[in-house]
Amino acid sequence: MVALRNILGIFAEGELRSRKPRGTAASTGDLTKGISFVRGQTLQPTSVPAPAKEEKEEKDAKDDADDADSDVDSRFVLDASVPNGNFKPAVEGPKLPARNKLSFNQMSSSYGKGFAMLQKMGFTGGGLGKHNDGIANPIEVQKRQSKRALQDDGEMVDQDLYGNEGGRRTVEELLSMDRAPEKKSTEPKISDGWKRDGKPKKQKTIYKTAEENAGEVPAMRIVDMRGPEVKVASSFAELAANLSGDSVRSLKEFRHNTRLLVSRYEDKVRLAAERKRHCENVILSAAKEQERLQAADNISEADVKGCKELVVEMESLRERQDEGSIGLSELAETFHRLERSRPKEFHLLQAIDVAFALALPTAKRELSTWQPFKAPELVLKAMAKWQDLGDKERFSALLDASLIPQLRKALVAWAPRDFEPCIRLMETCQRLLRTEVADSLVAEVVLPRLRSEIEVWDPRIDQRSAHLWLHPWLPLLGRKMEMLWTPIRFKISSCLEKWDPSDPSAHGLLKPWQQVFDPANWDPLIEKVLGRLERSLQETPIKPDGQDLTAVKSLLRWLDLAPLENVARVLETALFPQWHGALKRWLRTEGCNFTEVLQWYQGWKALFPPELREQLVVQRHLAHGLEVMKHVMAGGEALGPEEPTRAGAEKATANSRLPVEEVSLSLSDYVTQVAAEEGLIFLPKKQQRNGKHVYQLGAATIQLDKNLVYVAPRGGEGEWKAASMDELLKLAKATKK
């Protein structure tokens, strides 16, 4: 038995007891004491003294009771009594929650179907299990190198499955961490000599110079304590990288908490403001009540008698109001009389509240049969008497409850093209009521009704233009109508898409809006019109023998609406290139009649109005045509297809094939030369025209402007006219005679 106990240790008692028949006494150890497991080979054999007879009987009885119940130690039974009364359950500290090292996106891309199955089974992050206290990170597997057997060290993966490592550390722990690069281990590495083709490699010796050793600077440590975790950076570059990445993400919790705090205190501030407003109203009400009570204390018996008489009069007014025998105007005049005759009693009894209380049903009764467009002054005059009786708030409340609903109802059913009754109604409102009342009606009812009518207006099929029923509102509304111009411009612009430039109806459609539209709405329409006219001019050929002037006349029709410089630009782009080409082709034909060419030139020149001929672009092209005609009539060859550009007539003449002498000769020099050849006087006068000098050629008065010569009218009455050199010489000589 001693040998068996030496081998089995503490479990020998149970083994011996189990071999005895049930009911026999056997000695057992005290199981309430701690158990210490000792290896059998180190336990020395000792002699065990025999227990006393009484102790043996108690132990046998206890063993029998334990065997009858179970073979489980009482310490492991939940309802077992605590021995000796001093047993205390173990108390554990707080358990750190499990944390995932990988995000959901990383786990989904790495584990795919397995991660999807985890989500279906209720995985929402953290650890596994019902209480989320299991492992939180997938078990990593370390891949062994090829042809390498099991090793004593390095096989286990040092992995934190619960994500509790890397927690917060103190500054001392962080500073004690060695951030310097790890030094190479001096221990010999595992040799590859055991491999079949392995050969031992000789370790490479690295030598450093004294400069390299002296240049080694100990690593710098920067402790960053701005985020939720303390971090240590070895350089400013690493610190900047942390700031651009983790630090921004680490502020999410801070921003969230800040928003919560702001929203919480916003509610508190709002509640405090409402409470303050309520307290102010209570204080004002109490002050008014105190004033009323003080006034009531100071009244005399005569004042009391006057108050009773005032009450009787107001009661009679109420009875008449119930009967419908008093109107709104008479009611206002009566309360005005009572306020003037009994001001103290009127104030003590707060009769103004009674007045407006009686005015509301009276106003509703009269307004129920009122027709605003036929008789706008009928009710408005009576309503205007009430705005001087009470304060602004009481009068506004009376209007909102009685007058405004009736006006809105009438304006909603009003046809905007029938403008006269509505304008008369709005003028009456502005004259009798406060300005803000009329402005609110205009902004909330009148302008939306006009806008809705513009939406259904179609300029292509509507026989009545929109300006007929919109422009009468301009004196009353003014700049408030600017919100209507943009939709009207869109309507007109859509009509111009397929407009024929020969159709004069577009001019009549746009003319009324010239002084109404602002530049932002007017300029796009004019540019669209000129674009259509320019394309029409480009498609019209220039034929000296049978010219179609429809496109040109269509363009000149818009001179009163379009800027002159824009019309001149259209002529320069679309007309004059063809005009120069036709002139040069005509001059190159054999047997060309120069008289017909001159008449053709004069006809085109007379076609343009004087204000258009004074535009620099038109002057340049006409002067260039005149120079070409003069050059050919003088016996020169016809010019090529070049025409003048905006750089000036000199450049256009230089690009042509004129002789160099004529190209370099200015108009003033040319007139001087002609005057010398003809024996005429050419002297400047002491006057100017349009900022340019005036000259005397013979007895004629002329002005030189670029390549044109203007001649003064005879007798000083009339307009200055441009003339050719032949006409100028005839006038100068005829005047001389």
Side-chain angles (χ1 to χ4, degrees), residues 10 26 46 126 153 159 182 202 210 288 299 368 407 422 447 480 489 515 522 526 551 598 611 653 695-696 703 725 733:
I10 193 64
T46 56
D153 297 325
Q159 182 187 1
E182 297 182 358
K202 186 177 180 181
K288 292 181 179 179
I299 61 176
S368 61
L407 289 176
C422 191
L447 289 178
K480 298 176 183 177
R489 192 245 300 178
Q515 303 299 329
W522 177 252
I526 291 299
L598 185 60
E611 63 271 14
T653 308
Y695 298 87
Q696 177 185 356
Q703 175 202 348
M725 188 56 63
K733 292 178 181 180

PDB file of all heavy atoms in Angstrom, residues 10 26 46 126 153 159 182 202 210 288 299 368 407 422 447 480 489 515 522 526 551 598 611 653 695-696 703 725 733:
ATOM      1  N   ILE A  10      -1.454  11.608  -4.183  1.00  0.00           N
ATOM      2  CA  ILE A  10      -2.689  11.881  -3.463  1.00  0.00           C
ATOM      3  C   ILE A  10      -3.837  11.054  -3.964  1.00  0.00           C
ATOM      4  O   ILE A  10      -4.831  10.820  -3.281  1.00  0.00           O
ATOM      5  CB  ILE A  10      -3.015  13.384  -3.549  1.00  0.00           C
ATOM      6  CG1 ILE A  10      -4.116  13.760  -2.544  1.00  0.00           C
ATOM      7  CG2 ILE A  10      -3.451  13.740  -4.960  1.00  0.00           C
ATOM      8  CD1 ILE A  10      -3.706  13.556  -1.139  1.00  0.00           C
ATOM      9  N   ALA A  26     -12.832   3.913   5.776  1.00  0.00           N
ATOM     10  CA  ALA A  26     -11.503   4.119   5.173  1.00  0.00           C
ATOM     11  C   ALA A  26     -11.071   5.535   5.486  1.00  0.00           C
ATOM     12  O   ALA A  26     -11.868   6.455   5.595  1.00  0.00           O
ATOM     13  CB  ALA A  26     -11.537   3.856   3.671  1.00  0.00           C
ATOM     14  N   THR A  46       7.536   7.611   3.056  1.00  0.00           N
ATOM     15  CA  THR A  46       7.430   7.939   4.491  1.00  0.00           C
ATOM     16  C   THR A  46       6.382   7.054   5.105  1.00  0.00           C
ATOM     17  O   THR A  46       5.469   6.565   4.420  1.00  0.00           O
ATOM     18  CB  THR A  46       7.071   9.406   4.699  1.00  0.00           C
ATOM     19  OG1 THR A  46       5.845   9.679   3.987  1.00  0.00           O
ATOM     20  CG2 THR A  46       8.146  10.347   4.182  1.00  0.00           C
ATOM     21  N   GLY A 126     -14.841  42.866 -33.506  1.00  0.00           N
ATOM     22  CA  GLY A 126     -14.450  42.483 -32.156  1.00  0.00           C
ATOM     23  C   GLY A 126     -14.163  40.990 -32.089  1.00  0.00           C
ATOM     24  O   GLY A 126     -13.860  40.321 -33.080  1.00  0.00           O
ATOM     25  N   ASP A 153      13.394  26.779 -32.524  1.00  0.00           N
ATOM     26  CA  ASP A 153      12.928  28.148 -32.318  1.00  0.00           C
ATOM     27  C   ASP A 153      12.419  28.706 -33.644  1.00  0.00           C
ATOM     28  O   ASP A 153      12.885  28.326 -34.724  1.00  0.00           O
ATOM     29  CB  ASP A 153      14.059  29.054 -31.790  1.00  0.00           C
ATOM     30  CG  ASP A 153      14.557  28.586 -30.427  1.00  0.00           C
ATOM     31  OD1 ASP A 153      13.702  28.098 -29.658  1.00  0.00           O
ATOM     32  OD2 ASP A 153      15.763  28.723 -30.178  1.00  0.00           O
ATOM     33  N   GLN A 159       1.688  36.037 -32.321  1.00  0.00           N
ATOM     34  CA  GLN A 159       0.543  36.819 -32.795  1.00  0.00           C
ATOM     35  C   GLN A 159      -0.368  37.172 -31.633  1.00  0.00           C
ATOM     36  O   GLN A 159      -0.621  36.343 -30.761  1.00  0.00           O
ATOM     37  CB  GLN A 159      -0.249  36.036 -33.848  1.00  0.00           C
ATOM     38  CG  GLN A 159      -1.433  36.813 -34.412  1.00  0.00           C
ATOM     39  CD  GLN A 159      -2.286  35.970 -35.316  1.00  0.00           C
ATOM     40  OE1 GLN A 159      -2.004  34.787 -35.516  1.00  0.00           O
ATOM     41  NE2 GLN A 159      -3.327  36.570 -35.867  1.00  0.00           N
ATOM     42  N   GLU A 182      18.305  48.197 -35.611  1.00  0.00           N
ATOM     43  CA  GLU A 182      18.783  46.992 -34.937  1.00  0.00           C
ATOM     44  C   GLU A 182      20.171  46.597 -35.452  1.00  0.00           C
ATOM     45  O   GLU A 182      20.429  46.618 -36.665  1.00  0.00           O
ATOM     46  CB  GLU A 182      17.802  45.846 -35.193  1.00  0.00           C
ATOM     47  CG  GLU A 182      16.422  46.106 -34.616  1.00  0.00           C
ATOM     48  CD  GLU A 182      15.512  44.921 -34.868  1.00  0.00           C
ATOM     49  OE1 GLU A 182      15.982  43.966 -35.511  1.00  0.00           O
ATOM     50  OE2 GLU A 182      14.347  44.969 -34.430  1.00  0.00           O
ATOM     51  N   LYS A 202      31.108  32.332 -46.356  1.00  0.00           N
ATOM     52  CA  LYS A 202      32.003  33.089 -45.504  1.00  0.00           C
ATOM     53  C   LYS A 202      31.384  34.444 -45.190  1.00  0.00           C
ATOM     54  O   LYS A 202      30.857  35.110 -46.082  1.00  0.00           O
ATOM     55  CB  LYS A 202      33.349  33.293 -46.191  1.00  0.00           C
ATOM     56  CG  LYS A 202      34.381  33.960 -45.302  1.00  0.00           C
ATOM     57  CD  LYS A 202      35.703  34.067 -46.035  1.00  0.00           C
ATOM     58  CE  LYS A 202      36.757  34.730 -45.150  1.00  0.00           C
ATOM     59  NZ  LYS A 202      38.052  34.861 -45.842  1.00  0.00           N
ATOM     60  N   ALA A 210      37.117  56.402 -40.380  1.00  0.00           N
ATOM     61  CA  ALA A 210      36.972  57.246 -39.192  1.00  0.00           C
ATOM     62  C   ALA A 210      35.906  58.317 -39.407  1.00  0.00           C
ATOM     63  O   ALA A 210      35.172  58.687 -38.485  1.00  0.00           O
ATOM     64  CB  ALA A 210      38.320  57.892 -38.838  1.00  0.00           C
ATOM     65  N   LYS A 288     -47.368  96.208 -17.247  1.00  0.00           N
ATOM     66  CA  LYS A 288     -48.617  96.821 -17.720  1.00  0.00           C
ATOM     67  C   LYS A 288     -49.738  96.649 -16.692  1.00  0.00           C
ATOM     68  O   LYS A 288     -50.521  97.570 -16.451  1.00  0.00           O
ATOM     69  CB  LYS A 288     -49.013  96.205 -19.050  1.00  0.00           C
ATOM     70  CG  LYS A 288     -48.075  96.554 -20.195  1.00  0.00           C
ATOM     71  CD  LYS A 288     -48.550  95.930 -21.487  1.00  0.00           C
ATOM     72  CE  LYS A 288     -47.614  96.294 -22.635  1.00  0.00           C
ATOM     73  NZ  LYS A 288     -48.048  95.675 -23.911  1.00  0.00           N
ATOM     74  N   ILE A 299     -57.963 106.497  -9.356  1.00  0.00           N
ATOM     75  CA  ILE A 299     -59.179 107.050  -9.948  1.00  0.00           C
ATOM     76  C   ILE A 299     -60.121 107.537  -8.857  1.00  0.00           C
ATOM     77  O   ILE A 299     -60.175 107.000  -7.739  1.00  0.00           O
ATOM     78  CB  ILE A 299     -59.898 106.005 -10.835  1.00  0.00           C
ATOM     79  CG1 ILE A 299     -60.323 104.785 -10.005  1.00  0.00           C
ATOM     80  CG2 ILE A 299     -59.009 105.584 -11.979  1.00  0.00           C
ATOM     81  CD1 ILE A 299     -61.126 103.774 -10.790  1.00  0.00           C
ATOM     82  N   SER A 368     -67.633  90.440 -47.170  1.00  0.00           N
ATOM     83  CA  SER A 368     -68.222  89.262 -47.810  1.00  0.00           C
ATOM     84  C   SER A 368     -68.920  89.609 -49.119  1.00  0.00           C
ATOM     85  O   SER A 368     -69.011  88.779 -50.022  1.00  0.00           O
ATOM     86  CB  SER A 368     -69.205  88.595 -46.844  1.00  0.00           C
ATOM     87  OG  SER A 368     -70.256  89.495 -46.499  1.00  0.00           O
ATOM     88  N   LEU A 407     -58.600  90.008 -50.609  1.00  0.00           N
ATOM     89  CA  LEU A 407     -57.772  90.489 -51.710  1.00  0.00           C
ATOM     90  C   LEU A 407     -57.065  89.334 -52.418  1.00  0.00           C
ATOM     91  O   LEU A 407     -56.975  89.310 -53.655  1.00  0.00           O
ATOM     92  CB  LEU A 407     -56.741  91.492 -51.188  1.00  0.00           C
ATOM     93  CG  LEU A 407     -57.289  92.852 -50.746  1.00  0.00           C
ATOM     94  CD1 LEU A 407     -56.167  93.707 -50.170  1.00  0.00           C
ATOM     95  CD2 LEU A 407     -57.952  93.570 -51.905  1.00  0.00           C
ATOM     96  N   CYS A 422     -56.896  95.931 -61.745  1.00  0.00           N
ATOM     97  CA  CYS A 422     -55.931  95.521 -60.719  1.00  0.00           C
ATOM     98  C   CYS A 422     -54.969  96.648 -60.387  1.00  0.00           C
ATOM     99  O   CYS A 422     -54.597  96.833 -59.220  1.00  0.00           O
ATOM    100  CB  CYS A 422     -55.178  94.281 -61.188  1.00  0.00           C
ATOM    101  SG  CYS A 422     -54.193  93.512 -59.902  1.00  0.00           S
ATOM    102  N   LEU A 447     -47.172  89.566 -58.798  1.00  0.00           N
ATOM    103  CA  LEU A 447     -46.048  89.121 -59.632  1.00  0.00           C
ATOM    104  C   LEU A 447     -46.129  87.641 -59.981  1.00  0.00           C
ATOM    105  O   LEU A 447     -45.859  87.267 -61.134  1.00  0.00           O
ATOM    106  CB  LEU A 447     -44.728  89.444 -58.927  1.00  0.00           C
ATOM    107  CG  LEU A 447     -44.365  90.930 -58.856  1.00  0.00           C
ATOM    108  CD1 LEU A 447     -43.067  91.129 -58.085  1.00  0.00           C
ATOM    109  CD2 LEU A 447     -44.238  91.525 -60.244  1.00  0.00           C
ATOM    110  N   LYS A 480     -39.267  96.000 -59.382  1.00  0.00           N
ATOM    111  CA  LYS A 480     -39.772  94.705 -58.933  1.00  0.00           C
ATOM    112  C   LYS A 480     -40.117  93.785 -60.090  1.00  0.00           C
ATOM    113  O   LYS A 480     -40.207  92.569 -59.918  1.00  0.00           O
ATOM    114  CB  LYS A 480     -41.005  94.903 -58.044  1.00  0.00           C
ATOM    115  CG  LYS A 480     -40.721  95.682 -56.773  1.00  0.00           C
ATOM    116  CD  LYS A 480     -41.999  95.919 -55.988  1.00  0.00           C
ATOM    117  CE  LYS A 480     -41.731  96.769 -54.744  1.00  0.00           C
ATOM    118  NZ  LYS A 480     -42.975  97.062 -54.010  1.00  0.00           N
ATOM    119  N   ARG A 489     -37.494  87.147 -72.362  1.00  0.00           N
ATOM    120  CA  ARG A 489     -36.374  87.061 -73.308  1.00  0.00           C
ATOM    121  C   ARG A 489     -36.226  85.655 -73.879  1.00  0.00           C
ATOM    122  O   ARG A 489     -35.947  85.472 -75.061  1.00  0.00           O
ATOM    123  CB  ARG A 489     -35.092  87.476 -72.592  1.00  0.00           C
ATOM    124  CG  ARG A 489     -33.927  87.714 -73.525  1.00  0.00           C
ATOM    125  CD  ARG A 489     -32.802  86.712 -73.306  1.00  0.00           C
ATOM    126  NE  ARG A 489     -32.277  86.757 -71.969  1.00  0.00           N
ATOM    127  CZ  ARG A 489     -31.319  85.948 -71.545  1.00  0.00           C
ATOM    128  NH1 ARG A 489     -30.791  85.059 -72.375  1.00  0.00           N
ATOM    129  NH2 ARG A 489     -30.912  85.979 -70.297  1.00  0.00           N
ATOM    130  N   GLN A 515     -36.187  99.969 -74.096  1.00  0.00           N
ATOM    131  CA  GLN A 515     -35.976 100.810 -72.920  1.00  0.00           C
ATOM    132  C   GLN A 515     -36.361 100.117 -71.616  1.00  0.00           C
ATOM    133  O   GLN A 515     -36.217 100.709 -70.542  1.00  0.00           O
ATOM    134  CB  GLN A 515     -36.792 102.104 -73.061  1.00  0.00           C
ATOM    135  CG  GLN A 515     -36.484 102.892 -74.308  1.00  0.00           C
ATOM    136  CD  GLN A 515     -35.028 103.338 -74.369  1.00  0.00           C
ATOM    137  OE1 GLN A 515     -34.400 103.584 -73.343  1.00  0.00           O
ATOM    138  NE2 GLN A 515     -34.499 103.449 -75.574  1.00  0.00           N
ATOM    139  N   TRP A 522     -31.144  92.395 -73.036  1.00  0.00           N
ATOM    140  CA  TRP A 522     -31.302  93.035 -74.348  1.00  0.00           C
ATOM    141  C   TRP A 522     -30.170  92.669 -75.302  1.00  0.00           C
ATOM    142  O   TRP A 522     -30.407  92.370 -76.489  1.00  0.00           O
ATOM    143  CB  TRP A 522     -31.380  94.551 -74.171  1.00  0.00           C
ATOM    144  CG  TRP A 522     -31.482  95.305 -75.466  1.00  0.00           C
ATOM    145  CD1 TRP A 522     -30.525  96.063 -76.058  1.00  0.00           C
ATOM    146  CD2 TRP A 522     -32.626  95.358 -76.328  1.00  0.00           C
ATOM    147  NE1 TRP A 522     -30.987  96.579 -77.230  1.00  0.00           N
ATOM    148  CE2 TRP A 522     -32.273  96.171 -77.427  1.00  0.00           C
ATOM    149  CE3 TRP A 522     -33.885  94.797 -76.286  1.00  0.00           C
ATOM    150  CZ2 TRP A 522     -33.166  96.438 -78.467  1.00  0.00           C
ATOM    151  CZ3 TRP A 522     -34.773  95.059 -77.319  1.00  0.00           C
ATOM    152  CH2 TRP A 522     -34.416  95.863 -78.393  1.00  0.00           C
ATOM    153  N   ILE A 526     -30.259  91.211 -79.446  1.00  0.00           N
ATOM    154  CA  ILE A 526     -29.739  91.970 -80.584  1.00  0.00           C
ATOM    155  C   ILE A 526     -28.631  91.195 -81.286  1.00  0.00           C
ATOM    156  O   ILE A 526     -28.549  91.181 -82.531  1.00  0.00           O
ATOM    157  CB  ILE A 526     -29.247  93.350 -80.111  1.00  0.00           C
ATOM    158  CG1 ILE A 526     -30.444  94.204 -79.680  1.00  0.00           C
ATOM    159  CG2 ILE A 526     -28.469  94.057 -81.199  1.00  0.00           C
ATOM    160  CD1 ILE A 526     -31.451  94.464 -80.777  1.00  0.00           C
ATOM    161  N   ALA A 551     -31.833  92.075 -98.324  1.00  0.00           N
ATOM    162  CA  ALA A 551     -31.057  91.766 -97.120  1.00  0.00           C
ATOM    163  C   ALA A 551     -30.425  93.020 -96.528  1.00  0.00           C
ATOM    164  O   ALA A 551     -30.369  93.183 -95.303  1.00  0.00           O
ATOM    165  CB  ALA A 551     -29.983  90.735 -97.443  1.00  0.00           C
ATOM    166  N   LEU A 598     -19.176 104.571-111.580  1.00  0.00           N
ATOM    167  CA  LEU A 598     -19.285 105.669-110.632  1.00  0.00           C
ATOM    168  C   LEU A 598     -20.709 105.816-110.109  1.00  0.00           C
ATOM    169  O   LEU A 598     -20.931 106.063-108.919  1.00  0.00           O
ATOM    170  CB  LEU A 598     -18.824 106.965-111.298  1.00  0.00           C
ATOM    171  CG  LEU A 598     -18.763 108.205-110.402  1.00  0.00           C
ATOM    172  CD1 LEU A 598     -17.809 107.986-109.237  1.00  0.00           C
ATOM    173  CD2 LEU A 598     -18.351 109.438-111.206  1.00  0.00           C
ATOM    174  N   GLU A 611     -25.292 108.590 -90.531  1.00  0.00           N
ATOM    175  CA  GLU A 611     -24.677 108.150 -89.270  1.00  0.00           C
ATOM    176  C   GLU A 611     -23.930 106.837 -89.434  1.00  0.00           C
ATOM    177  O   GLU A 611     -22.955 106.564 -88.727  1.00  0.00           O
ATOM    178  CB  GLU A 611     -25.743 108.007 -88.179  1.00  0.00           C
ATOM    179  CG  GLU A 611     -26.804 106.969 -88.454  1.00  0.00           C
ATOM    180  CD  GLU A 611     -27.983 107.527 -89.220  1.00  0.00           C
ATOM    181  OE1 GLU A 611     -27.851 108.654 -89.767  1.00  0.00           O
ATOM    182  OE2 GLU A 611     -29.025 106.851 -89.279  1.00  0.00           O
ATOM    183  N   THR A 653      -4.027  99.584 -98.810  1.00  0.00           N
ATOM    184  CA  THR A 653      -3.419 100.069-100.042  1.00  0.00           C
ATOM    185  C   THR A 653      -2.058  99.424-100.267  1.00  0.00           C
ATOM    186  O   THR A 653      -1.674  99.100-101.394  1.00  0.00           O
ATOM    187  CB  THR A 653      -3.278 101.599 -99.981  1.00  0.00           C
ATOM    188  OG1 THR A 653      -4.539 102.155 -99.636  1.00  0.00           O
ATOM    189  CG2 THR A 653      -2.826 102.153-101.306  1.00  0.00           C
ATOM    190  N   TYR A 695     -10.046 123.038 -94.398  1.00  0.00           N
ATOM    191  CA  TYR A 695      -9.150 123.665 -95.377  1.00  0.00           C
ATOM    192  C   TYR A 695      -9.974 124.408 -96.426  1.00  0.00           C
ATOM    193  O   TYR A 695     -11.171 124.153 -96.605  1.00  0.00           O
ATOM    194  CB  TYR A 695      -8.273 122.621 -96.071  1.00  0.00           C
ATOM    195  CG  TYR A 695      -7.355 121.867 -95.139  1.00  0.00           C
ATOM    196  CD1 TYR A 695      -7.787 120.730 -94.475  1.00  0.00           C
ATOM    197  CD2 TYR A 695      -6.041 122.287 -94.922  1.00  0.00           C
ATOM    198  CE1 TYR A 695      -6.950 120.036 -93.625  1.00  0.00           C
ATOM    199  CE2 TYR A 695      -5.196 121.590 -94.070  1.00  0.00           C
ATOM    200  CZ  TYR A 695      -5.659 120.464 -93.422  1.00  0.00           C
ATOM    201  OH  TYR A 695      -4.826 119.787 -92.583  1.00  0.00           O
ATOM    202  N   GLN A 696      -9.285 125.318 -97.097  1.00  0.00           N
ATOM    203  CA  GLN A 696      -9.866 126.019 -98.240  1.00  0.00           C
ATOM    204  C   GLN A 696      -9.153 125.550 -99.499  1.00  0.00           C
ATOM    205  O   GLN A 696      -7.949 125.678 -99.630  1.00  0.00           O
ATOM    206  CB  GLN A 696      -9.707 127.541 -98.090  1.00  0.00           C
ATOM    207  CG  GLN A 696     -10.239 128.320 -99.288  1.00  0.00           C
ATOM    208  CD  GLN A 696      -9.981 129.799 -99.191  1.00  0.00           C
ATOM    209  OE1 GLN A 696      -9.459 130.268 -98.183  1.00  0.00           O
ATOM    210  NE2 GLN A 696     -10.326 130.542-100.240  1.00  0.00           N
ATOM    211  N   GLN A 703     -12.915 119.246 -95.714  1.00  0.00           N
ATOM    212  CA  GLN A 703     -12.342 118.592 -94.527  1.00  0.00           C
ATOM    213  C   GLN A 703     -11.775 117.251 -94.956  1.00  0.00           C
ATOM    214  O   GLN A 703     -12.426 116.508 -95.710  1.00  0.00           O
ATOM    215  CB  GLN A 703     -13.403 118.368 -93.438  1.00  0.00           C
ATOM    216  CG  GLN A 703     -12.874 117.576 -92.240  1.00  0.00           C
ATOM    217  CD  GLN A 703     -13.974 116.909 -91.445  1.00  0.00           C
ATOM    218  OE1 GLN A 703     -15.138 117.216 -91.646  1.00  0.00           O
ATOM    219  NE2 GLN A 703     -13.598 115.984 -90.576  1.00  0.00           N
ATOM    220  N   MET A 725     -12.549 113.229-106.158  1.00  0.00           N
ATOM    221  CA  MET A 725     -11.604 114.274-106.542  1.00  0.00           C
ATOM    222  C   MET A 725     -12.100 115.053-107.747  1.00  0.00           C
ATOM    223  O   MET A 725     -11.927 116.281-107.818  1.00  0.00           O
ATOM    224  CB  MET A 725     -10.244 113.646-106.825  1.00  0.00           C
ATOM    225  CG  MET A 725      -9.142 114.665-107.039  1.00  0.00           C
ATOM    226  SD  MET A 725      -8.947 115.816-105.653  1.00  0.00           S
ATOM    227  CE  MET A 725      -8.480 114.696-104.375  1.00  0.00           C
ATOM    228  N   LYS A 733     -13.442 124.922-108.867  1.00  0.00           N
ATOM    229  CA  LYS A 733     -13.322 125.810-110.030  1.00  0.00           C
ATOM    230  C   LYS A 733     -14.606 126.586-110.261  1.00  0.00           C
ATOM    231  O   LYS A 733     -14.577 127.773-110.599  1.00  0.00           O
ATOM    232  CB  LYS A 733     -12.971 125.001-111.268  1.00  0.00           C
ATOM    233  CG  LYS A 733     -11.574 124.398-111.212  1.00  0.00           C
ATOM    234  CD  LYS A 733     -11.301 123.558-112.440  1.00  0.00           C
ATOM    235  CE  LYS A 733      -9.908 122.925-112.371  1.00  0.00           C
ATOM    236  NZ  LYS A 733      -9.614 122.085-113.558  1.00  0.00           N
TER     237      LYS A 733
END
